[in-house]
Amino acid sequence: MSTPQGARARARIEVTAAIKEAARRQLAQEGAAKLSLRAVARELGMVSSALYRYFPSRDELLTALIIDAYDSLGEAAEQARDAARDAGPVVRWTAVCEAVRGWALAHPHEYALIYGSPVPGYSAPETTVPAASRVGLVLIGILRAAHEGPGLADLPLPVALRPEAERIAADLAPELPVEVAAAMVAAWAQLFGLVGFELFGQFNNVVEDRETFFRHAATELAHGVGLR
């Protein structure tokens, strides 16, 4: 038999989910900058004071939506990695990149929330970092496995960049060669640049077969980080 506390906890979970779903609809219609707790409450037939018991401010609601989006994207990347576990490292890398693209095309407004223009007046707190790191950790894991197994190609590194590459490696992937760590950060930025260009229209009238183009670009990124 359920307890009153258990019933209240379930009700809170359900209402929280409904609030976030209504907020996502508002993101799609108005954009993150215009997200309004009052508008969300109005859509759900709640008074604003009741909604504030779940999310005391717009920023707390935005943070919850951002963490959910990063987690959903990270889960897609992890599933793609796991599905390609028996393939070579280039195939695993490319599968993860394609999963990122697929998620973004399926969730354009949530992608815009986490990789689009910053929301005026909002600064993401540290609580978003673990979720935001999931895709990067998947890619680092593929590089680590290749480094420990078949090996990575030697990569050039300008002398002037070595101190920064050493700092990047120490912070993000101390087990990887510094050359690979620096290349990985560049590839990570290029991956999301490719996805953003497609999603936000920069490829219009430029690239037609975007799936083939992306797969080739993702494979080149794999080679660029030393995967064989």
Side-chain angles (χ1 to χ4, degrees):
M1 187 174 180
S2 61
T3 64
Q5 292 87 349
R8 283 196 293 270
R10 287 196 300 276
R12 184 172 184 84
I13 291 171
E14 291 171 1
V15 174
T16 299
I19 291 170
K20 290 195 286 188
E21 191 56 37
R24 291 188 189 99
R25 288 193 293 271
Q26 192 176 121
L27 287 180
Q29 296 167 3
E30 303 288 345
K34 294 184 178 180
L35 180 64
S36 162
L37 290 181
R38 290 182 179 276
V40 171
R42 194 161 51 244
E43 178 179 338
L44 294 174
M46 300 172 63
V47 295
S48 299
S49 58
L51 190 146
Y52 290 140
R53 290 200 293 269
Y54 295 87
F55 296 99
S57 68
R58 180 209 68 162
D59 285 5
E60 290 199 27
L61 178 54
L62 267 178
T63 296
L65 296 176
I66 287 169
I67 290 173
D68 283 355
Y70 276 129
D71 275 333
S72 179
L73 174 59
E75 183 177 356
E78 291 158 4
Q79 289 176 347
R81 173 203 59 198
D82 295 344
R85 65 170 59 88
D86 296 327
V90 172
V91 173
R92 290 201 302 276
W93 173 282
T94 304
V96 170
C97 292
E98 290 183 318
V100 169
R101 173 180 179 264
W103 185 90
L105 294 177
H107 305 85
H109 304 294
E110 290 169 78
Y111 184 89
L113 174 64
I114 55 178
Y115 288 111
S117 300
V119 179
Y122 174 80
S123 180
E126 289 293 317
T127 53
T128 62
V129 172
S133 303
R134 288 175 68 169
V135 172
L137 290 174
V138 170
L139 297 175
I140 290 172
I142 293 171
L143 289 169
R144 183 187 299 114
H147 182 52
E148 294 171 352
L152 295 165
D154 292 332
L155 300 178
L157 183 70
V159 173
L161 184 57
R162 179 162 290 276
E164 180 63 11
E166 290 174 345
R167 187 196 63 76
I168 289 171
D171 286 348
L172 300 180
E175 68 279 16
L176 293 177
V178 296
E179 297 86 352
V180 172
M184 178 202 64
V185 172
W188 172 71
Q190 290 173 72
L191 166 60
F192 287 100
L194 284 164
V195 173
F197 261 48
E198 179 174 359
L199 197 64
F200 300 138
Q202 282 89 346
F203 281 160
N204 291 350
N205 301 316
V206 178
V207 179
E208 294 185 358
D209 186 353
R210 294 175 184 175
E211 184 173 348
T212 301
F213 179 85
F214 182 87
R215 185 176 297 115
H216 169 74
T219 302
E220 289 301 302
L221 291 179
H223 296 155
V225 295
L227 294 174
R228 303 176 187 273

Coordinates of all heavy atoms in Angstrom, one line a residue, residues 6 16 37 52-53 60 83 96 139-140 173 191:
G6 N 4.9 8.7 -0.3 CA 5.2 8.1 -1.6 C 4.3 8.7 -2.7 O 4.7 9.0 -3.8
T16 N 6.6 18.1 -11.9 CA 7.9 18.6 -12.4 C 8.1 18.2 -13.9 O 8.5 19.1 -14.7 CB 9.0 18.0 -11.6 OG1 8.9 18.4 -10.2 CG2 10.4 18.5 -12.1
L37 N 8.2 31.8 -16.4 CA 7.5 30.9 -15.5 C 6.0 31.2 -15.5 O 5.2 30.3 -15.4 CB 8.1 31.1 -14.1 CG 9.5 30.6 -13.8 CD1 9.9 30.8 -12.4 CD2 9.6 29.1 -14.1
Y52 N 6.3 28.1 -8.5 CA 7.5 28.5 -7.8 C 8.0 27.5 -6.7 O 9.1 27.5 -6.3 CB 7.4 29.9 -7.1 CG 7.3 31.0 -8.1 CD1 6.4 32.1 -7.9 CD2 8.1 31.0 -9.3 CE1 6.3 33.1 -8.9 CE2 8.0 32.0 -10.2 CZ 7.1 33.1 -10.0 OH 7.0 34.1 -10.9
R53 N 7.0 26.7 -6.3 CA 7.4 25.6 -5.3 C 8.3 24.5 -6.0 O 9.0 23.8 -5.3 CB 6.2 25.0 -4.7 CG 5.4 26.0 -3.7 CD 4.5 25.2 -2.8 NE 3.4 24.6 -3.5 CZ 2.2 25.1 -3.7 NH1 2.0 26.4 -3.2 NH2 1.3 24.5 -4.3
E60 N 16.5 28.5 -12.5 CA 16.5 27.1 -12.1 C 15.8 26.2 -13.0 O 16.2 25.0 -13.3 CB 15.9 27.0 -10.7 CG 16.7 27.7 -9.6 CD 16.3 27.2 -8.2 OE1 15.8 26.1 -8.1 OE2 16.6 28.0 -7.3
A83 N 26.7 0.3 -29.1 CA 26.3 -0.5 -30.3 C 27.4 -0.9 -31.2 O 27.3 -1.9 -31.9 CB 25.2 0.3 -31.0
V96 N 29.5 7.7 -32.9 CA 29.1 8.6 -31.9 C 28.8 10.0 -32.5 O 27.9 10.7 -32.2 CB 30.3 8.7 -30.9 CG1 30.1 9.9 -29.9 CG2 30.4 7.4 -30.1
L139 N 34.1 10.3 -26.3 CA 35.1 10.5 -27.3 C 36.5 10.2 -26.7 O 37.4 9.5 -27.3 CB 35.1 11.9 -28.0 CG 33.8 12.2 -28.8 CD1 33.8 13.6 -29.2 CD2 33.6 11.2 -29.9
I140 N 36.8 10.7 -25.5 CA 38.0 10.5 -24.9 C 38.2 9.0 -24.6 O 39.3 8.4 -24.8 CB 38.1 11.2 -23.5 CG1 38.2 12.7 -23.8 CG2 39.3 10.8 -22.7 CD1 38.1 13.6 -22.6
A173 N 42.7 14.7 -20.1 CA 43.0 13.3 -20.4 C 44.5 13.0 -20.2 O 45.2 12.9 -21.2 CB 42.6 13.0 -21.9
L191 N 33.2 19.1 -34.5 CA 32.0 18.3 -34.5 C 30.7 19.1 -34.3 O 29.8 19.1 -35.1 CB 32.1 17.2 -33.4 CG 30.8 16.4 -33.1 CD1 30.3 15.7 -34.3 CD2 31.0 15.4 -32.0

